[in-house]
Amino acid sequence: MIRVLIADDHTILRHGLVSLLSKDDCIQVVAEAADGLEAVSKALELKPTVIVIDISMPGLNGMEAVKRLNGQLPDTKVLVLTMHEEQEYVIHMVRAGASGYLLKDSASDELIDAVKALAAGKTYYSQYAASVLASQYNQPAENWQDPYKNLTNREREVFHLIIEGKTTKEIARSLDISVKTAENHRGKVLDKLNVANAAELVRYAAKNNLLL
């Protein structure tokens, strides 16, 4: 039985994916998650065979969630299911550790095939994603670097809360840390990314396709 976790912040879509995958006798949906942090937490608890995850999610985006999952659950395979077809997203997600990449307008049968392929230890990329990866292999671009640079996991969480418009107090409450600790993390994020304030951080996020 292929045990699957589905992570997407759109409730109707997530429930639709659960219904679709559950119709296959070989697949069991063991959990759902509405944001990146919940996806990581439930994955660590349940250790599913395959995780189907979106890129654009609150709290912790799919890119960072995949990076953490790849490091902590190397035997769990990650399939990205997203509306983002820009080549930057494909390359960043594969470098983060994704074993598959599909667009949300893919056929239902293709999603099931992709889940089964990953469960069998293979990779599965849409035709577009495969062409992007082939191009990158043949002509690697020197500028494909981690846009988060050397931010720690906690600082990356703070990064996204800042660009969501959260105040320091709201960040502290969201992460269950003190205001002083939140202030320290906020300062380190700005320093490491060489920006002066939240407005510049939002521009940095936009420039690096991190406004998800």
Side-chain angles (χ1 to χ4, degrees):
M1 182 66 70
I2 301 170
R3 302 172 68 253
V4 176
L5 185 155
I6 298 175
D8 194 295
D9 62 326
H10 292 94
T11 304
I12 294 176
L13 174 60
R14 191 173 67 250
H15 289 175
L17 292 173
V18 171
S19 177
L20 170 65
L21 292 176
S22 296
K23 291 178 181 178
D24 192 288
D25 293 338
C26 297
I27 298 173
Q28 177 188 12
V29 178
V30 296
E32 301 176 42
D35 61 62
L37 290 172
E38 185 181 17
V40 171
S41 175
K42 288 188 174 180
L44 291 175
E45 176 188 354
L46 299 170
K47 297 179 176 58
T49 315
V50 176
I51 299 171
V52 179
I53 192 168
D54 191 12
I55 297 177
S56 302
M57 291 188 295
L60 189 70
N61 68 42
M63 188 188 308
E64 182 59 23
V66 170
K67 184 176 180 180
R68 294 192 190 184
L69 291 166
N70 187 54
Q72 298 181 66
L73 292 174
D75 293 333
T76 295
K77 304 304 179 183
V78 178
L79 172 65
V80 177
L81 182 65
T82 182
M83 65 180 182
H84 294 293
E85 59 182 350
E86 296 87 348
Q87 64 176 356
E88 292 94 340
Y89 290 111
V90 177
I91 294 172
H92 283 322
M93 293 304 290
V94 172
R95 287 192 170 186
S99 297
Y101 195 105
L102 284 181
L103 297 178
K104 286 184 175 178
D105 60 1
S106 300
S108 300
D109 289 345
E110 188 172 18
L111 174 60
I112 293 173
D113 289 344
V115 168
K116 290 182 176 180
L118 266 62
K122 302 175 183 178
T123 58
Y124 196 105
Y125 301 106
S126 68
Q127 184 175 357
Y128 171 74
S131 68
V132 168
L133 295 173
S135 175
Q136 174 69 5
Y137 178 80
N138 293 324
Q139 294 181 316
E142 295 180 358
N143 62 339
W144 292 118
Q145 300 177 359
D146 185 354
Y148 294 102
K149 298 187 178 179
N150 62 337
L151 295 183
T152 65
N153 287 340
R154 178 63 87 189
E155 288 164 359
R156 294 179 190 214
E157 293 175 10
V158 172
F159 170 94
H160 282 284
L161 291 171
I162 294 172
I163 64 176
E164 287 174 14
K166 303 290 188 185
T167 65
T168 302
K169 288 183 178 180
E170 289 171 332
I171 291 172
R173 193 180 311 116
S174 296
L175 300 178
D176 194 25
I177 57 179
S178 70
V179 173
K180 182 175 179 57
T181 300
E183 287 177 348
N184 289 337
H185 285 314
R186 185 186 186 101
K188 288 180 180 178
V189 169
L190 299 181
D191 286 343
K192 288 183 177 181
L193 298 181
N194 196 29
V195 297
N197 50 46
E200 288 190 12
L201 190 66
V202 170
R203 286 195 289 271
Y204 176 91
K207 180 181 178 181
N208 289 277
N209 295 309
L210 297 176
L211 287 178
L212 303 176

